[in-house]
Amino acid sequence: MSLASSSSTRRKTPEGLKPPEGLKPPEERGTPTTGTPPASTEEPAAAAPIRPGRPRPQRAPVLPRVLRAALTGATKSVAIVALLLAWELAPRLGLVDRTFLPPFSEVAQAWWELVANGQLADNAQASLVRSFSGFGTAVAVSVPLGLLIGWYRPVADLLNPLLQVFLNTAALALLPVFVLLLGIGETSKISIVVYACAWPILFNTISAVRTVDPTLLRLAKSMNLSAPRLFQKVILPASVPTIFTGIRLAGAVSIVVLVAAEMIGAKAGLGYLINASQYNFAIPQMYAGIVTISVIGVAFNQLLVAVEKRLSSWRVPATS
């Protein structure tokens, strides 16, 4: 009986399968092989936990990304291409007088001639130096002053009536005053740019400080932050987007006001180039100067957008 039971047990066990370590077969333990074998009192060793590997980020295929970027660029440039196409066809089809609005191809040819003879570079350099000098001065003065006025209520109450008077006075209306006081040299042109750019930056900075989320302020005060640390860690970072809105507006204003100032009294600059071309009836050169101003304005705005993204990289992007 014991031999039969033992042989039956061996037949049921697959070949090459050894019993677990620490659990001997019945015949070696000396227990009877008849009947139900006693349950083992030893618990099997716990299996080591398997740590799932960190999934490797899968990169999107290159071709779909290139196609998506090309489609985005084409979508953004459709309106500009349509404008240039209408500009080219309208004079050629007789819809407008090509004497006063030449086709875009003629304007592009005149633009290239101005580049070749160096006139465009010289005039653009003169305008950019004036514009950037006035714009940089306005930023350096208006941002600290706006932070001070927005942070300290007594300073705001003292200066607000005076600021409202200057805000509602157009910069170009004061251009003759700047010319009379400062002459027709570089100082008057840079000063009028400073005046025109200061107000958008100043009032956007004041608004940025006053409209900081009150919840952030309460959380910061609950952490017992000092006033300088509160201003550095909460007020200033939260104000960056609104401040840059004013800076971008001032960037556009700096070019517009400067061109107007150069048309009145200047011997170099894009405004001077446009005005002189009009007097000499060089209409393609006049439009070439206008196009150059537009391109510079767009490039300057994109530069400010890139700087804003860099300084406000902590913000969580909005999900669509």
PDB file of all heavy atoms in Angstrom, residues 95-123:
ATOM      1  N   LEU A  95      -7.924  98.836 -60.615  1.00  0.00           N
ATOM      2  CA  LEU A  95      -8.859  99.140 -59.539  1.00  0.00           C
ATOM      3  C   LEU A  95      -8.445 100.395 -58.781  1.00  0.00           C
ATOM      4  O   LEU A  95      -9.300 101.091 -58.227  1.00  0.00           O
ATOM      5  CB  LEU A  95      -8.958  97.947 -58.578  1.00  0.00           C
ATOM      6  CG  LEU A  95      -9.448  96.625 -59.212  1.00  0.00           C
ATOM      7  CD1 LEU A  95      -9.461  95.516 -58.176  1.00  0.00           C
ATOM      8  CD2 LEU A  95     -10.828  96.802 -59.832  1.00  0.00           C
ATOM      9  N   VAL A  96      -7.147 100.681 -58.706  1.00  0.00           N
ATOM     10  CA  VAL A  96      -6.618 101.902 -58.108  1.00  0.00           C
ATOM     11  C   VAL A  96      -5.574 102.471 -59.058  1.00  0.00           C
ATOM     12  O   VAL A  96      -5.062 101.778 -59.945  1.00  0.00           O
ATOM     13  CB  VAL A  96      -6.001 101.630 -56.714  1.00  0.00           C
ATOM     14  CG1 VAL A  96      -7.043 101.181 -55.720  1.00  0.00           C
ATOM     15  CG2 VAL A  96      -4.886 100.599 -56.816  1.00  0.00           C
ATOM     16  N   ASP A  97      -5.267 103.750 -58.879  1.00  0.00           N
ATOM     17  CA  ASP A  97      -4.266 104.399 -59.712  1.00  0.00           C
ATOM     18  C   ASP A  97      -2.875 103.934 -59.276  1.00  0.00           C
ATOM     19  O   ASP A  97      -2.458 104.170 -58.136  1.00  0.00           O
ATOM     20  CB  ASP A  97      -4.392 105.919 -59.571  1.00  0.00           C
ATOM     21  CG  ASP A  97      -3.551 106.668 -60.592  1.00  0.00           C
ATOM     22  OD1 ASP A  97      -2.727 106.019 -61.281  1.00  0.00           O
ATOM     23  OD2 ASP A  97      -3.718 107.895 -60.704  1.00  0.00           O
ATOM     24  N   ARG A  98      -2.148 103.280 -60.171  1.00  0.00           N
ATOM     25  CA  ARG A  98      -0.844 102.750 -59.809  1.00  0.00           C
ATOM     26  C   ARG A  98       0.193 103.850 -59.612  1.00  0.00           C
ATOM     27  O   ARG A  98       1.290 103.574 -59.126  1.00  0.00           O
ATOM     28  CB  ARG A  98      -0.358 101.742 -60.848  1.00  0.00           C
ATOM     29  CG  ARG A  98      -0.120 102.304 -62.227  1.00  0.00           C
ATOM     30  CD  ARG A  98       0.247 101.175 -63.179  1.00  0.00           C
ATOM     31  NE  ARG A  98       1.425 100.466 -62.729  1.00  0.00           N
ATOM     32  CZ  ARG A  98       1.780  99.261 -63.212  1.00  0.00           C
ATOM     33  NH1 ARG A  98       1.013  98.658 -64.091  1.00  0.00           N
ATOM     34  NH2 ARG A  98       2.881  98.672 -62.784  1.00  0.00           N
ATOM     35  N   THR A  99      -0.144 105.083 -59.977  1.00  0.00           N
ATOM     36  CA  THR A  99       0.765 106.188 -59.697  1.00  0.00           C
ATOM     37  C   THR A  99       0.872 106.448 -58.196  1.00  0.00           C
ATOM     38  O   THR A  99       1.953 106.759 -57.675  1.00  0.00           O
ATOM     39  CB  THR A  99       0.296 107.460 -60.407  1.00  0.00           C
ATOM     40  OG1 THR A  99       0.188 107.211 -61.814  1.00  0.00           O
ATOM     41  CG2 THR A  99       1.247 108.618 -60.168  1.00  0.00           C
ATOM     42  N   PHE A 100      -0.247 106.303 -57.500  1.00  0.00           N
ATOM     43  CA  PHE A 100      -0.271 106.564 -56.061  1.00  0.00           C
ATOM     44  C   PHE A 100      -0.178 105.278 -55.238  1.00  0.00           C
ATOM     45  O   PHE A 100       0.176 105.344 -54.056  1.00  0.00           O
ATOM     46  CB  PHE A 100      -1.553 107.314 -55.695  1.00  0.00           C
ATOM     47  CG  PHE A 100      -1.717 108.599 -56.447  1.00  0.00           C
ATOM     48  CD1 PHE A 100      -2.635 108.714 -57.478  1.00  0.00           C
ATOM     49  CD2 PHE A 100      -0.934 109.699 -56.137  1.00  0.00           C
ATOM     50  CE1 PHE A 100      -2.789 109.903 -58.164  1.00  0.00           C
ATOM     51  CE2 PHE A 100      -1.076 110.887 -56.830  1.00  0.00           C
ATOM     52  CZ  PHE A 100      -1.999 110.994 -57.854  1.00  0.00           C
ATOM     53  N   LEU A 101      -0.504 104.153 -55.846  1.00  0.00           N
ATOM     54  CA  LEU A 101      -0.340 102.862 -55.172  1.00  0.00           C
ATOM     55  C   LEU A 101       0.263 101.882 -56.167  1.00  0.00           C
ATOM     56  O   LEU A 101      -0.442 101.139 -56.839  1.00  0.00           O
ATOM     57  CB  LEU A 101      -1.685 102.337 -54.643  1.00  0.00           C
ATOM     58  CG  LEU A 101      -1.609 101.017 -53.857  1.00  0.00           C
ATOM     59  CD1 LEU A 101      -0.782 101.203 -52.590  1.00  0.00           C
ATOM     60  CD2 LEU A 101      -3.008 100.520 -53.502  1.00  0.00           C
ATOM     61  N   PRO A 102       1.588 101.872 -56.296  1.00  0.00           N
ATOM     62  CA  PRO A 102       2.229 100.954 -57.240  1.00  0.00           C
ATOM     63  C   PRO A 102       2.095  99.513 -56.775  1.00  0.00           C
ATOM     64  O   PRO A 102       1.855  99.251 -55.587  1.00  0.00           O
ATOM     65  CB  PRO A 102       3.689 101.414 -57.228  1.00  0.00           C
ATOM     66  CG  PRO A 102       3.867 102.083 -55.920  1.00  0.00           C
ATOM     67  CD  PRO A 102       2.557 102.709 -55.582  1.00  0.00           C
ATOM     68  N   PRO A 103       2.240  98.554 -57.665  1.00  0.00           N
ATOM     69  CA  PRO A 103       2.184  97.146 -57.248  1.00  0.00           C
ATOM     70  C   PRO A 103       3.269  96.815 -56.232  1.00  0.00           C
ATOM     71  O   PRO A 103       4.317  97.478 -56.159  1.00  0.00           O
ATOM     72  CB  PRO A 103       2.390  96.384 -58.572  1.00  0.00           C
ATOM     73  CG  PRO A 103       2.011  97.344 -59.638  1.00  0.00           C
ATOM     74  CD  PRO A 103       2.382  98.695 -59.125  1.00  0.00           C
ATOM     75  N   PHE A 104       3.006  95.778 -55.486  1.00  0.00           N
ATOM     76  CA  PHE A 104       3.943  95.394 -54.433  1.00  0.00           C
ATOM     77  C   PHE A 104       5.295  94.994 -55.003  1.00  0.00           C
ATOM     78  O   PHE A 104       6.332  95.204 -54.354  1.00  0.00           O
ATOM     79  CB  PHE A 104       3.360  94.246 -53.605  1.00  0.00           C
ATOM     80  CG  PHE A 104       4.275  93.766 -52.528  1.00  0.00           C
ATOM     81  CD1 PHE A 104       4.489  94.510 -51.386  1.00  0.00           C
ATOM     82  CD2 PHE A 104       4.957  92.557 -52.671  1.00  0.00           C
ATOM     83  CE1 PHE A 104       5.360  94.070 -50.395  1.00  0.00           C
ATOM     84  CE2 PHE A 104       5.823  92.115 -51.681  1.00  0.00           C
ATOM     85  CZ  PHE A 104       6.027  92.870 -50.547  1.00  0.00           C
ATOM     86  N   SER A 105       5.327  94.422 -56.193  1.00  0.00           N
ATOM     87  CA  SER A 105       6.605  94.046 -56.795  1.00  0.00           C
ATOM     88  C   SER A 105       7.486  95.265 -57.044  1.00  0.00           C
ATOM     89  O   SER A 105       8.707  95.208 -56.839  1.00  0.00           O
ATOM     90  CB  SER A 105       6.352  93.296 -58.112  1.00  0.00           C
ATOM     91  OG  SER A 105       5.584  94.100 -58.995  1.00  0.00           O
ATOM     92  N   GLU A 106       6.896  96.387 -57.454  1.00  0.00           N
ATOM     93  CA  GLU A 106       7.677  97.608 -57.642  1.00  0.00           C
ATOM     94  C   GLU A 106       8.175  98.158 -56.311  1.00  0.00           C
ATOM     95  O   GLU A 106       9.299  98.673 -56.216  1.00  0.00           O
ATOM     96  CB  GLU A 106       6.839  98.659 -58.369  1.00  0.00           C
ATOM     97  CG  GLU A 106       6.431  98.260 -59.785  1.00  0.00           C
ATOM     98  CD  GLU A 106       5.649  99.360 -60.480  1.00  0.00           C
ATOM     99  OE1 GLU A 106       5.555 100.470 -59.893  1.00  0.00           O
ATOM    100  OE2 GLU A 106       5.131  99.113 -61.579  1.00  0.00           O
ATOM    101  N   VAL A 107       7.347  98.041 -55.277  1.00  0.00           N
ATOM    102  CA  VAL A 107       7.778  98.481 -53.946  1.00  0.00           C
ATOM    103  C   VAL A 107       8.930  97.609 -53.453  1.00  0.00           C
ATOM    104  O   VAL A 107       9.910  98.117 -52.876  1.00  0.00           O
ATOM    105  CB  VAL A 107       6.593  98.442 -52.965  1.00  0.00           C
ATOM    106  CG1 VAL A 107       7.050  98.763 -51.547  1.00  0.00           C
ATOM    107  CG2 VAL A 107       5.507  99.409 -53.400  1.00  0.00           C
ATOM    108  N   ALA A 108       8.828  96.296 -53.685  1.00  0.00           N
ATOM    109  CA  ALA A 108       9.912  95.402 -53.275  1.00  0.00           C
ATOM    110  C   ALA A 108      11.200  95.716 -54.029  1.00  0.00           C
ATOM    111  O   ALA A 108      12.298  95.673 -53.451  1.00  0.00           O
ATOM    112  CB  ALA A 108       9.497  93.952 -53.517  1.00  0.00           C
ATOM    113  N   GLN A 109      11.087  96.040 -55.318  1.00  0.00           N
ATOM    114  CA  GLN A 109      12.270  96.421 -56.081  1.00  0.00           C
ATOM    115  C   GLN A 109      12.885  97.712 -55.546  1.00  0.00           C
ATOM    116  O   GLN A 109      14.115  97.823 -55.412  1.00  0.00           O
ATOM    117  CB  GLN A 109      11.902  96.579 -57.555  1.00  0.00           C
ATOM    118  CG  GLN A 109      13.084  96.901 -58.460  1.00  0.00           C
ATOM    119  CD  GLN A 109      12.672  97.028 -59.915  1.00  0.00           C
ATOM    120  OE1 GLN A 109      11.500  96.850 -60.261  1.00  0.00           O
ATOM    121  NE2 GLN A 109      13.640  97.336 -60.779  1.00  0.00           N
ATOM    122  N   ALA A 110      12.043  98.703 -55.225  1.00  0.00           N
ATOM    123  CA  ALA A 110      12.558  99.948 -54.655  1.00  0.00           C
ATOM    124  C   ALA A 110      13.195  99.699 -53.290  1.00  0.00           C
ATOM    125  O   ALA A 110      14.221 100.320 -52.948  1.00  0.00           O
ATOM    126  CB  ALA A 110      11.425 100.964 -54.538  1.00  0.00           C
ATOM    127  N   TRP A 111      12.607  98.806 -52.500  1.00  0.00           N
ATOM    128  CA  TRP A 111      13.176  98.461 -51.194  1.00  0.00           C
ATOM    129  C   TRP A 111      14.574  97.860 -51.358  1.00  0.00           C
ATOM    130  O   TRP A 111      15.502  98.195 -50.618  1.00  0.00           O
ATOM    131  CB  TRP A 111      12.244  97.488 -50.476  1.00  0.00           C
ATOM    132  CG  TRP A 111      12.672  97.136 -49.086  1.00  0.00           C
ATOM    133  CD1 TRP A 111      12.390  97.818 -47.944  1.00  0.00           C
ATOM    134  CD2 TRP A 111      13.473  96.011 -48.692  1.00  0.00           C
ATOM    135  NE1 TRP A 111      12.954  97.187 -46.855  1.00  0.00           N
ATOM    136  CE2 TRP A 111      13.627  96.074 -47.291  1.00  0.00           C
ATOM    137  CE3 TRP A 111      14.061  94.956 -49.393  1.00  0.00           C
ATOM    138  CZ2 TRP A 111      14.355  95.132 -46.589  1.00  0.00           C
ATOM    139  CZ3 TRP A 111      14.794  94.020 -48.684  1.00  0.00           C
ATOM    140  CH2 TRP A 111      14.935  94.105 -47.300  1.00  0.00           C
ATOM    141  N   TRP A 112      14.727  96.984 -52.337  1.00  0.00           N
ATOM    142  CA  TRP A 112      16.025  96.367 -52.565  1.00  0.00           C
ATOM    143  C   TRP A 112      17.060  97.392 -53.028  1.00  0.00           C
ATOM    144  O   TRP A 112      18.227  97.312 -52.660  1.00  0.00           O
ATOM    145  CB  TRP A 112      15.897  95.236 -53.570  1.00  0.00           C
ATOM    146  CG  TRP A 112      17.198  94.543 -53.841  1.00  0.00           C
ATOM    147  CD1 TRP A 112      17.966  94.606 -54.963  1.00  0.00           C
ATOM    148  CD2 TRP A 112      17.890  93.676 -52.926  1.00  0.00           C
ATOM    149  NE1 TRP A 112      19.098  93.843 -54.822  1.00  0.00           N
ATOM    150  CE2 TRP A 112      19.077  93.253 -53.583  1.00  0.00           C
ATOM    151  CE3 TRP A 112      17.622  93.222 -51.639  1.00  0.00           C
ATOM    152  CZ2 TRP A 112      19.983  92.404 -52.980  1.00  0.00           C
ATOM    153  CZ3 TRP A 112      18.543  92.371 -51.044  1.00  0.00           C
ATOM    154  CH2 TRP A 112      19.695  91.968 -51.706  1.00  0.00           C
ATOM    155  N   GLU A 113      16.644  98.359 -53.840  1.00  0.00           N
ATOM    156  CA  GLU A 113      17.555  99.420 -54.267  1.00  0.00           C
ATOM    157  C   GLU A 113      18.008 100.273 -53.082  1.00  0.00           C
ATOM    158  O   GLU A 113      19.183 100.662 -52.996  1.00  0.00           O
ATOM    159  CB  GLU A 113      16.871 100.299 -55.324  1.00  0.00           C
ATOM    160  CG  GLU A 113      16.614  99.582 -56.649  1.00  0.00           C
ATOM    161  CD  GLU A 113      15.836 100.452 -57.624  1.00  0.00           C
ATOM    162  OE1 GLU A 113      15.437 101.571 -57.218  1.00  0.00           O
ATOM    163  OE2 GLU A 113      15.614 100.017 -58.773  1.00  0.00           O
ATOM    164  N   LEU A 114      17.080 100.546 -52.160  1.00  0.00           N
ATOM    165  CA  LEU A 114      17.463 101.302 -50.960  1.00  0.00           C
ATOM    166  C   LEU A 114      18.437 100.505 -50.087  1.00  0.00           C
ATOM    167  O   LEU A 114      19.332 101.081 -49.457  1.00  0.00           O
ATOM    168  CB  LEU A 114      16.222 101.671 -50.158  1.00  0.00           C
ATOM    169  CG  LEU A 114      15.284 102.704 -50.785  1.00  0.00           C
ATOM    170  CD1 LEU A 114      14.013 102.837 -49.949  1.00  0.00           C
ATOM    171  CD2 LEU A 114      15.981 104.052 -50.919  1.00  0.00           C
ATOM    172  N   VAL A 115      18.246  99.197 -50.055  1.00  0.00           N
ATOM    173  CA  VAL A 115      19.183  98.358 -49.295  1.00  0.00           C
ATOM    174  C   VAL A 115      20.549  98.352 -49.971  1.00  0.00           C
ATOM    175  O   VAL A 115      21.596  98.435 -49.303  1.00  0.00           O
ATOM    176  CB  VAL A 115      18.627  96.923 -49.170  1.00  0.00           C
ATOM    177  CG1 VAL A 115      19.676  95.993 -48.576  1.00  0.00           C
ATOM    178  CG2 VAL A 115      17.379  96.909 -48.300  1.00  0.00           C
ATOM    179  N   ALA A 116      20.560  98.266 -51.294  1.00  0.00           N
ATOM    180  CA  ALA A 116      21.829  98.179 -52.029  1.00  0.00           C
ATOM    181  C   ALA A 116      22.652  99.452 -51.902  1.00  0.00           C
ATOM    182  O   ALA A 116      23.882  99.396 -51.737  1.00  0.00           O
ATOM    183  CB  ALA A 116      21.558  97.854 -53.500  1.00  0.00           C
ATOM    184  N   ASN A 117      22.005 100.620 -51.964  1.00  0.00           N
ATOM    185  CA  ASN A 117      22.775 101.867 -51.881  1.00  0.00           C
ATOM    186  C   ASN A 117      23.011 102.344 -50.446  1.00  0.00           C
ATOM    187  O   ASN A 117      23.628 103.392 -50.226  1.00  0.00           O
ATOM    188  CB  ASN A 117      22.099 102.980 -52.694  1.00  0.00           C
ATOM    189  CG  ASN A 117      20.670 103.249 -52.245  1.00  0.00           C
ATOM    190  OD1 ASN A 117      20.327 103.065 -51.075  1.00  0.00           O
ATOM    191  ND2 ASN A 117      19.822 103.675 -53.173  1.00  0.00           N
ATOM    192  N   GLY A 118      22.525 101.593 -49.456  1.00  0.00           N
ATOM    193  CA  GLY A 118      22.802 101.894 -48.053  1.00  0.00           C
ATOM    194  C   GLY A 118      21.897 102.916 -47.407  1.00  0.00           C
ATOM    195  O   GLY A 118      22.039 103.178 -46.206  1.00  0.00           O
ATOM    196  N   GLN A 119      20.946 103.492 -48.153  1.00  0.00           N
ATOM    197  CA  GLN A 119      20.074 104.505 -47.557  1.00  0.00           C
ATOM    198  C   GLN A 119      19.155 103.903 -46.495  1.00  0.00           C
ATOM    199  O   GLN A 119      18.941 104.517 -45.440  1.00  0.00           O
ATOM    200  CB  GLN A 119      19.236 105.179 -48.646  1.00  0.00           C
ATOM    201  CG  GLN A 119      20.021 106.017 -49.630  1.00  0.00           C
ATOM    202  CD  GLN A 119      19.120 106.749 -50.599  1.00  0.00           C
ATOM    203  OE1 GLN A 119      18.031 107.191 -50.228  1.00  0.00           O
ATOM    204  NE2 GLN A 119      19.566 106.867 -51.835  1.00  0.00           N
ATOM    205  N   LEU A 120      18.630 102.733 -46.777  1.00  0.00           N
ATOM    206  CA  LEU A 120      17.698 102.123 -45.829  1.00  0.00           C
ATOM    207  C   LEU A 120      18.397 101.778 -44.519  1.00  0.00           C
ATOM    208  O   LEU A 120      17.856 101.998 -43.430  1.00  0.00           O
ATOM    209  CB  LEU A 120      17.062 100.872 -46.449  1.00  0.00           C
ATOM    210  CG  LEU A 120      15.945 100.233 -45.635  1.00  0.00           C
ATOM    211  CD1 LEU A 120      14.754 101.175 -45.531  1.00  0.00           C
ATOM    212  CD2 LEU A 120      15.505  98.910 -46.260  1.00  0.00           C
ATOM    213  N   ALA A 121      19.600 101.244 -44.604  1.00  0.00           N
ATOM    214  CA  ALA A 121      20.326 100.866 -43.390  1.00  0.00           C
ATOM    215  C   ALA A 121      20.657 102.094 -42.543  1.00  0.00           C
ATOM    216  O   ALA A 121      20.493 102.078 -41.314  1.00  0.00           O
ATOM    217  CB  ALA A 121      21.598 100.108 -43.761  1.00  0.00           C
ATOM    218  N   ASP A 122      21.105 103.175 -43.194  1.00  0.00           N
ATOM    219  CA  ASP A 122      21.465 104.378 -42.446  1.00  0.00           C
ATOM    220  C   ASP A 122      20.251 104.991 -41.759  1.00  0.00           C
ATOM    221  O   ASP A 122      20.314 105.362 -40.573  1.00  0.00           O
ATOM    222  CB  ASP A 122      22.099 105.397 -43.393  1.00  0.00           C
ATOM    223  CG  ASP A 122      23.434 104.918 -43.939  1.00  0.00           C
ATOM    224  OD1 ASP A 122      24.039 104.026 -43.317  1.00  0.00           O
ATOM    225  OD2 ASP A 122      23.860 105.420 -45.011  1.00  0.00           O
ATOM    226  N   ASN A 123      19.153 105.097 -42.467  1.00  0.00           N
ATOM    227  CA  ASN A 123      17.951 105.698 -41.880  1.00  0.00           C
ATOM    228  C   ASN A 123      17.335 104.800 -40.814  1.00  0.00           C
ATOM    229  O   ASN A 123      16.860 105.296 -39.784  1.00  0.00           O
ATOM    230  CB  ASN A 123      16.924 105.989 -42.973  1.00  0.00           C
ATOM    231  CG  ASN A 123      17.344 107.128 -43.881  1.00  0.00           C
ATOM    232  OD1 ASN A 123      17.314 108.298 -43.505  1.00  0.00           O
ATOM    233  ND2 ASN A 123      17.756 106.806 -45.094  1.00  0.00           N
TER     234      ASN A 123
END
